[in-house]
Amino acid sequence: MSAYDLPDKRGHFGPYGGLFVSETLMQPLAELRKAYEKLRNDPKFNAEFAEDLRLYVGRPSPLYPAKRLTDMWGGARIYLKREDLNHTGAHKVNNTIGQALLARHMGKTRVIAETGAGQHGVATATVAARFGMKCVVYMGSEDIKRQAINVYRMKLLGAEVVPVESGSKTLKDALNEAMRDWVTNVEDTFYIIGTVAGPHPYPAMVRDFQSVIGKEVRYQIQEFEGRLPDALVACVGGGSNAMGLFYPFIDDAEVALYGVEAAGEGIESGKHAATLCTGKPGVLHGNRTYLLETEDGQIIETHSISAGLDYPGVGPEHAWLKDAHRARYVSITDSEALAAFHELTRIEGIMPALESSHAIAYAKKLAPELGKDKVIVVNLSGRGDKDIHTVANLEGIKF
Amino acid sequence: MSRIASIFQQLHKRDRRALIPYITAGDPEPWVTVPLMHALVTAGADILELGVPFSDPMADGPVIQRASERALKNRVRLVDVLNMVREFRAKDDKTPVVLMGYLNPIEVMGYERFAAAAAAAGVDGALTVDLPPEEAGAFTPVLRRHNLDAIFLIAPTSGEERVSRIAAAASGFIYYVSLRGVTGAAHLDVNEVEAKLKSIRRHTRLPLGVGFGINSPEMAAAMARIADAVVVGSAIVRRIEEMAGTPDRVLGEVPAFVASLRRAMDSATVSPEQVSGGRA
């Protein structure tokens, strides 16, 4: 089997990905592609990126053997990739640093971003502050209500947070609005997309910046196990933390890849965000991928307890990995995720983001199935501080 | 000859420019659309651009997005839009109708099924704003086979190489996006548009329409001097929105606005004796 080398030159992962944007964006995207192609193999750029990840983000993030969890679950040995320990508390910053460096090389002075849970917005506002760039973050007004603390963090960092009132007032609408800003202000503006979706080259570029996660796991696991893991588990909304973990392992057929989507109140309730598990291929936000849509092709509102998974599309590379049977996509409900949130908090003293709690919850099912001699690495993509209001609310506690 | 080609040929003989108003199908209410289409033709429209509502109209500004939302609230689907065209065609078999929208509803229906149904309903062309020629390889030939024109956009940022690629894929007319940004934005520079149209004409003999940012009779007149067609969208849809609660007023006042665009365009291009002769 030849080494995995997708996407192709036109940004296609099999039938997925591509460039489905209005003509106005074709030229800016071509410029971005050119700049990224030039810099991705430039040793100086890569050294700059690596140094920022080390000194500013605090990488490498630890690979933590969760021994108590392993004992309790009575199956495979569980390791947690601690992206929650990154500066700003999630994996998102790996990508925003990469794109902000690229923006600086392209001479752009203003960055914009869309955000759902607010983690990508915070990560963008953070690097904008550090690089002295103007920053505007688009956020659905529903998400602003759910994530008040992150909104305030972004403002403290000097970003302007623009509430998006259109459509379902969530992440997908924020993405539409950010695209509009970019079309209008492309001269001085760089659009930092937060996930492995959007038009080419974003899915590949964000994946490349996030793949530091998987690269670290590859050598870190050697120290404990002297071999590669049997399974990788990560939550999938747009899919950037999962792609970052999976990508360096795609050619290792013996490593099973599990992407965990949000089943919300249950698949059968219709209130979920399990795009790969239940959706159909279509075109949204610049790429062809699986979508949650009505019978006549309108994108539907999704539901998840975690704003970061609440997205009706998914990165096109995940769509391809699903069809190619290289990765398996499963789903976890709100209540299962919530239980995992509490379990990890109480057993290991680590409070996971509700997004990452979906991955933890699935690992709990997988561990006994695989058995004691197997090894599972779970991507703990973010920390749960931002979610304590949600969790408290569900338990009837008001601050 | 297609309806679109024949309209441009007739207009050319009379030294007139095509006026292409845009409305979103089903906005403000489904029953308004067909009577409004007829009224727009009476007011002087040469080609009608009919928007297919989509939940995520990324390339449109807030005005057209809200029109889409109103139409979707009215449960207007792509099949309903095609039925509206069929109903329009029963009384008007001359005025071309171009569907403008996004790819996903068409993907769901299937290219072949869409093209066959659109042609049968009397649609003349389709403009899918999120489908550049690079990705249109499977779609354009299906349209052609059903004698539908594939309308493409050219942007201020499109370089020579892209312009020639788009010109090769396009038929009917080419739609030049007269400003950076989304539909309904401001700041239109007539000289810049004129220069770009000249450079596009080196690559194609297709008629060139100009749209995005044309919001007054004066601007329509200025564009009529340099382009073959003038597309007006947001300025019309904004008026529809203002009168959304009283659809009867929409049917009176929106055509009146379109008639004012028509007069301004004609006085910019047609000599006085031709104007007195009236419309054929």
Side-chain angles (χ1 to χ4, degrees):
Chain A
M1 195 181 119
S2 63
Y4 182 82
D5 63 350
L6 296 180
D8 65 16
K9 280 208 168 60
R10 292 166 58 218
H12 291 136
F13 302 89
Y16 303 108
L19 263 170
F20 294 87
V21 294
S22 120
E23 179 59 27
T24 322
L25 279 174
M26 292 302 281
Q27 180 59 29
L29 284 165
E31 269 169 41
L32 174 62
R33 225 156 46 230
K34 233 173 92 189
Y36 180 58
E37 279 308 315
K38 201 176 128 218
L39 287 172
R40 62 179 294 202
N41 297 314
D42 176 354
K44 222 180 117 212
F45 178 82
N46 285 315
E48 221 179 340
F49 180 47
E51 180 163 284
D52 268 4
L53 291 181
R54 187 168 67 89
L55 298 178
Y56 190 65
V57 178
R59 301 204 73 92
S61 68
L63 183 67
Y64 168 73
K67 296 208 172 89
R68 292 236 300 151
L69 214 53
T70 300
D71 288 346
M72 266 192 71
W73 291 351
R77 292 189 287 285
I78 306 293
Y79 291 83
L80 304 177
K81 179 59 174 165
R82 298 291 308 275
E83 292 298 299
D84 60 317
L85 294 177
N86 291 342
H87 179 45
T88 72
H91 72 289
K92 294 288 185 187
V93 73
N94 303 327
N95 166 52
T96 59
I97 287 200
Q99 290 197 49
L101 284 172
L102 185 55
R104 203 170 62 177
H105 276 271
M106 291 175 76
K108 309 285 184 185
T109 54
R110 177 176 178 267
V111 293
I112 58 170
E114 83 295 335
T115 197
Q119 293 303 95
H120 173 58
V122 168
T124 303
T126 300
V127 297
R130 172 153 180 266
F131 289 138
M133 291 167 163
K134 198 171 179 293
C135 178
V136 177
V137 178
Y138 291 92
M139 190 167 183
S141 57
E142 276 302 312
D143 289 337
I144 286 182
K145 277 187 238 156
R146 290 194 278 190
Q147 303 287 343
I149 291 175
N150 271 345
V151 173
Y152 187 53
R153 283 167 87 191
M154 287 184 265
K155 287 181 180 165
L156 288 173
L157 288 160
E160 182 192 345
V161 181
V162 180
V164 176
E165 300 286 351
S166 56
S168 60
K169 303 175 179 140
T170 58
L171 178 59
K172 78 176 178 72
D173 309 285
L175 214 149
N176 292 334
E177 211 55 43
M179 279 282 181
R180 291 175 180 140
D181 179 315
W182 196 37
V183 170
T184 314
N185 302 301
V186 70
E187 298 288 317
D188 68 341
T189 298
F190 189 103
Y191 179 16
I192 300 186
I193 291 187
T195 192
V196 287
H200 181 56
Y202 282 102
M205 182 171 72
V206 175
R207 172 201 71 194
D208 291 349
F209 289 140
Q210 290 293 2
S211 65
V212 64
I213 301 171
K215 285 177 195 156
E216 288 175 3
V217 167
R218 270 191 92 87
Y219 70 76
Q220 287 172 321
I221 194 69
Q222 294 293 339
E223 186 188 316
F224 297 103
E225 299 285 346
R227 65 177 179 90
L228 294 182
D230 298 291
L232 305 177
V233 180
C235 64
V236 176
S240 71
N241 88 79
M243 233 25 261
L245 176 63
F246 294 174
Y247 183 56
F249 293 92
I250 288 181
D251 284 330
D252 302 296
E254 72 275 24
V255 181
L257 311 175
Y258 292 91
V260 186
E261 297 192 306
E265 295 177 12
I267 300 291
E268 62 293 336
S269 74
K271 291 182 176 173
H272 61 81
T275 310
L276 287 163
C277 293
T278 69
K280 282 190 317 187
V283 171
L284 179 71
H285 292 153
N287 62 110
R288 182 177 279 119
T289 186
Y290 279 77
L291 299 176
L292 292 173
E293 59 187 2
T294 63
E295 278 178 354
D296 46 293
Q298 308 296 341
I299 309 308
I300 57 178
E301 289 179 32
T302 51
H303 167 83
S304 168
I305 192 174
S306 64
L309 301 185
D310 212 347
Y311 180 61
V314 65
E317 193 163 13
H318 286 296
W320 169 246
L321 291 176
K322 173 189 160 82
D323 284 12
H325 304 289
R326 177 62 190 94
R328 276 190 62 194
Y329 295 89
V330 295
S331 67
I332 283 292
T333 63
D334 286 352
S335 54
E336 289 171 318
L338 197 61
F341 170 91
H342 286 296
E343 189 166 9
L344 190 64
T345 302
R346 296 295 293 269
I347 302 303
E348 295 284 357
I350 297 171
M351 197 177 290
L354 286 173
E355 289 79 9
S356 323
S357 299
H358 287 72
I360 303 289
Y362 187 73
K364 184 180 183 174
K365 294 184 181 180
L366 188 62
E369 272 175 41
L370 291 187
K372 282 189 189 251
D373 56 337
K374 298 291 202 263
V375 172
I376 300 176
V377 174
V378 185
N379 202 5
L380 194 63
S381 55
R383 69 178 181 220
D385 311 44
K386 69 179 176 64
D387 294 314
I388 52 177
H389 274 83
T390 308
V391 174
N393 271 343
L394 286 169
E395 295 178 350
I397 298 164
K398 297 264 180 259
F399 293 112
Chain B
M1 189 186 292
S2 77
R3 274 194 204 96
I4 292 176
S6 109
I7 278 282
F8 275 107
Q9 198 178 62
Q10 289 167 35
L11 289 171
H12 186 72
K13 278 185 200 152
R14 287 154 52 211
D15 206 18
R16 278 167 61 118
R17 307 291 175 259
L19 171 56
I20 311 182
Y22 167 96
I23 57 172
T24 300
D27 171 40
E29 287 176 36
W31 69 264
V32 177
T33 301
V34 174
L36 183 57
M37 290 167 78
H38 288 301
L40 293 176
V41 174
T42 308
D46 302 294
I47 296 174
L48 298 174
E49 210 171 84
L50 194 58
V52 179
F54 183 51
S55 53
D56 294 78
M58 229 167 60
D60 284 296
V63 172
I64 290 182
Q65 167 147 28
R66 287 196 297 270
S68 237
E69 285 173 8
R70 285 191 294 275
L72 289 175
K73 207 171 266 176
N74 294 328
R75 301 182 181 281
V76 174
R77 303 159 302 164
L78 179 51
V79 288
D80 301 312
V81 178
L82 296 178
N83 284 334
M84 289 173 188
V85 177
R86 189 191 321 277
E87 198 186 326
F88 171 79
R89 272 284 164 259
K91 287 186 194 157
D92 184 333
D93 65 356
K94 287 199 176 62
T95 310
V97 176
V98 172
L99 297 186
M100 182 169 182
Y102 292 77
L103 185 60
N104 200 52
I106 294 175
E107 285 238 337
V108 166
M109 188 179 272
Y111 293 167
E112 180 61 39
R113 233 185 96 209
F114 163 76
V123 170
D124 298 282
L127 196 181
T128 34
V129 287
D130 56 350
L131 185 67
E134 282 84 344
E135 302 282 359
F139 185 52
T140 315
V142 179
L143 291 181
R144 288 270 160 76
R145 214 165 47 240
H146 290 276
N147 296 316
L148 295 169
D149 283 317
I151 318 289
F152 284 98
L153 300 170
I154 288 180
T157 48
S158 312
E160 293 272 328
E161 193 197 330
R162 289 200 57 75
V163 169
S164 93
R165 183 202 290 257
I166 294 165
S171 61
F173 65 96
I174 288 175
Y175 187 144
Y176 177 64
V177 174
S178 44
L179 49 79
R180 290 158 200 227
V182 294
T183 51
H187 325 300
L188 194 51
D189 182 334
V190 177
N191 293 330
E192 201 182 300
V193 174
E194 185 172 18
K196 187 72 181 187
L197 292 181
K198 267 188 190 149
S199 84
I200 298 171
R201 284 192 213 282
R202 286 202 296 271
H203 297 276
T204 183
R205 301 182 67 178
L206 286 174
L208 300 183
V210 170
F212 281 40
I214 300 168
N215 53 21
S216 66
E218 295 71 33
M219 190 53 82
M223 289 301 158
R225 288 188 194 100
I226 58 176
D228 302 302
V230 176
V231 187
V232 181
S234 296
I236 290 172
V237 174
R238 189 174 293 120
R239 282 170 172 78
I240 294 175
E241 178 168 51
E242 284 163 10
M243 296 176 262
T246 49
D248 290 324
R249 272 183 67 207
V250 171
L251 290 171
E253 291 179 35
V254 171
F257 174 65
V258 169
S260 75
L261 300 173
R262 173 85 266 165
R263 283 192 300 276
M265 284 169 59
D266 288 351
S267 62
T269 61
V270 183
S271 56
E273 58 271 26
Q274 281 173 291
V275 171
S276 64
R279 253 196 109 190

